[in-house]
Amino acid sequence: GSATNTMDRAQTETFLAGSAIALGDWVMFDTSKTGVDKVLFVVPSTTGGTAGQALVCGVAKAAQATVGGRVEVIVGGYAAAAKCVAGVGAAGVSLLVLANAPSAETYPLVAGPSSNAVGVSLAASAAGLAPVWVFKQF
């Protein structure tokens, strides 16, 4: 196999943490801020109800406990450890942040939400984490 840092197919952006963020959290823009800070700061995603959370912008590559600290977010491509519910039982599952934020779950195909899918699983979720392909939203 290839080394983990060789062509890992991930695109990242650096944001500032609006609150504590854990490894693998699906994060969203912090709309409690003003002006352009709304898209500079991120927080762990909140639930999106039946519509899905439209503010999700990626997956935290590492934890950041300090508010205002830098957090690297995978905004597109491969994420080795993204929070996903146990119901994500295989590769190829379309993902959406609905009721179990900051974890993703299976994108419902019946009575679908208005938000786009945030990614696709590359394996089943184990211990709340799965490798995923993050769909670029940012």
Side-chain angles (χ1 to χ4, degrees):
S2 63
T4 57
N5 62 349
T6 303
M7 296 181 67
D8 64 6
R9 302 291 188 207
Q11 184 177 6
T12 62
E13 293 285 343
T14 301
F15 293 89
L16 300 179
S19 65
I21 293 172
L23 164 72
D25 278 355
W26 289 88
V27 296
M28 60 184 260
F29 296 124
D30 186 353
T31 58
S32 72
K33 304 295 183 196
T34 58
V36 73
D37 282 353
K38 289 181 183 288
V39 293
L40 173 61
F41 285 80
V42 293
V43 294
S45 180
T46 58
T47 59
T50 57
Q53 182 51 264
L55 295 170
V56 169
C57 60
V59 173
K61 190 172 180 179
Q64 176 52 269
T66 305
V67 174
R70 293 174 183 248
V71 58
E72 193 172 3
V73 175
I74 299 164
V75 296
Y78 181 74
K83 288 188 177 177
C84 293
V85 299
V88 176
V93 175
S94 291
L95 302 171
L96 184 68
V97 178
L98 284 169
N100 294 287
S103 295
E105 57 198 270
T106 302
Y107 189 98
L109 298 178
V110 178
S114 57
S115 295
N116 293 330
V118 294
V120 62
S121 64
L122 298 173
S125 178
L129 295 170
V132 304
W133 185 263
V134 177
F135 294 159
K136 188 163 172 44
Q137 313 278 342
F138 177 77

